[in-house]
Amino acid sequence: GATLTLVGHSERRKNLGETDEMVNKKVKILLKNDFTPIVCVGETFEERQKGIRDVVVAREVEAALRDIELFGTKKIIIAYEPVWVIGTGQAVEPEDAEHSHRMIRETLLENFSSDIVEKHFEIIYGGSVDSKNIKDFVDRENIDGVLVGGASLKAEEFVKMIKEIA
């Protein structure tokens, strides 16, 4: 009964050598088989320090979606997950995440019509979201939702998160 699946997560890229090309192939296969891919994109701390965050994230988005056609009810979710915050319990500032989401939306609009972007894409934030900060992220104009990682494994914390945004 699963309908969504992660692709391109930083741990797969790092530990299993998953490339942008592999992510693109997986996205195509998932769409063909009526799954909604959640495409993970994000920069490392070193890339961020070098000031190339936007370039890296835009490249990952474009590569994942190369030659993709969307129609009917097919959807793709882009999850912005700064690699350097995963598993640390430290989130980026909500304003910073908003910037990255706006840049991802602009990248999508450079590659797809506004109608396609509006109907077939969502852009979510995933990077150490918890009950204390979730509202700061979901209240942003360009952030369509969140991808909860470790906090989803703690039932009490997860319930708090749901109550915060309900």
Side-chain angles (χ1 to χ4, degrees):
T3 59
L4 300 110
T5 188
L6 292 175
V7 289
H9 193 275
S10 63
E11 290 171 343
R12 290 194 59 85
R13 290 177 189 260
K14 178 183 174 189
N15 299 331
L16 300 173
E18 193 165 275
T19 65
D20 289 338
E21 292 76 24
M22 293 166 80
V23 171
N24 177 255
K25 287 179 183 176
K26 288 180 179 185
V27 170
K28 289 176 182 175
I29 290 167
L30 289 167
L31 289 170
K32 183 178 178 182
N33 288 285
D34 297 322
F35 279 85
T36 298
I38 303 172
V39 180
C40 300
V41 298
E43 79 284 358
T44 65
F45 187 71
E46 294 76 24
E47 292 164 335
R48 186 179 189 81
Q49 292 298 100
K50 290 179 183 175
I52 59 172
R53 168 189 58 179
D54 292 355
V55 172
V56 169
V57 172
R59 184 201 74 227
E60 288 181 350
V61 170
E62 288 176 343
L65 304 177
R66 189 167 292 122
D67 300 322
I68 296 292
E69 293 183 26
L70 293 165
F71 52 87
T73 60
K74 300 206 180 285
K75 283 204 168 278
I76 296 177
I77 299 170
I78 306 293
Y80 172 62
E81 290 194 305
V83 175
W84 55 279
V85 301
I86 295 172
T88 66
Q90 170 190 349
V92 301
E93 291 297 320
E95 298 81 16
D96 197 16
E98 172 79 4
H99 165 83
S100 293
H101 283 73
R102 186 172 35 257
M103 187 274 306
I104 291 168
R105 193 170 311 281
E106 290 169 5
T107 301
L108 292 173
L109 289 167
E110 289 172 6
N111 292 277
F112 298 93
S113 71
S114 59
D115 186 53
I116 294 291
V117 172
E118 186 178 315
K119 288 181 182 175
H120 299 279
F121 285 97
E122 290 181 23
I123 308 168
I124 62 176
Y125 175 72
S128 298
V129 179
D130 59 30
S131 62
K132 294 175 188 74
N133 65 18
I134 191 169
K135 195 144 177 54
D136 294 331
F137 290 105
V138 298
D139 285 349
R140 300 281 165 176
E141 179 182 348
N142 285 292
I143 300 178
D144 298 323
V146 293
L147 178 63
V148 182
S152 69
L153 301 175
K154 302 168 191 159
E156 201 172 296
E157 175 65 11
F158 196 60
V159 169
K160 281 183 187 176
M161 293 174 76
I162 294 167
K163 287 179 179 178
E164 275 296 315
I165 60 174

